[in-house]
Amino acid sequence: MTAGEDIAIRRKRLRYRAWHRGTKEMDLVLGPYCDANIEGFDAATLDRLEALMNEEDPPLLKWIMRQEDPPEHVDRAFLELVIADHQARISQ
């Protein structure tokens, strides 16, 4: 397997995880985000996505809905990209 195949498989796996979170609300946030963006992500950006996706759904949803501030360990800049994407989708 080449590095290109490795990253393609990783993208596919993360896209699947985005759509199969366990809560429909997070599926509808992360699924469309991944569909729209993941093909352009390099390995470092996939790391950032994966770290965010490793968070539990209830707190992650609260951060996305701006009901709570995320803890310090969360990549806030990346979270803001996900939030902006979600807000743009729901305002259409």
Side-chain angles (χ1 to χ4, degrees):
M1 207 174 333
T2 67
E5 289 173 312
D6 288 341
I7 201 163
I9 290 168
R10 189 171 178 207
R11 286 180 183 129
K12 186 175 182 178
R13 180 177 50 82
L14 286 170
R15 180 179 282 147
Y16 180 87
R17 277 184 61 198
W19 278 106
H20 298 88
R21 296 284 303 172
T23 63
K24 191 65 173 171
E25 295 86 357
M26 286 310 306
D27 292 353
L28 295 174
V29 171
L30 292 174
Y33 178 78
C34 283
D35 285 352
N37 298 289
I38 203 164
E39 290 304 318
F41 287 175
D42 60 11
T45 308
L46 291 174
D47 289 345
R48 295 173 79 188
L49 172 63
E50 193 162 22
L52 189 65
M53 288 177 57
N54 285 339
E55 297 292 335
E56 295 291 324
D57 281 357
L60 184 54
L61 185 60
K62 287 179 182 176
W63 306 334
I64 289 171
M65 304 309 277
R66 299 201 190 274
Q67 295 171 345
E68 289 181 6
D69 289 331
E72 291 301 316
H73 74 272
V74 172
D75 181 343
R76 291 170 187 237
F78 193 81
L79 178 62
E80 287 300 322
L81 296 174
V82 174
I83 291 169
D85 180 82
H86 176 65
Q87 288 176 338
R89 289 178 199 289
I90 62 174
S91 68
Q92 290 180 347

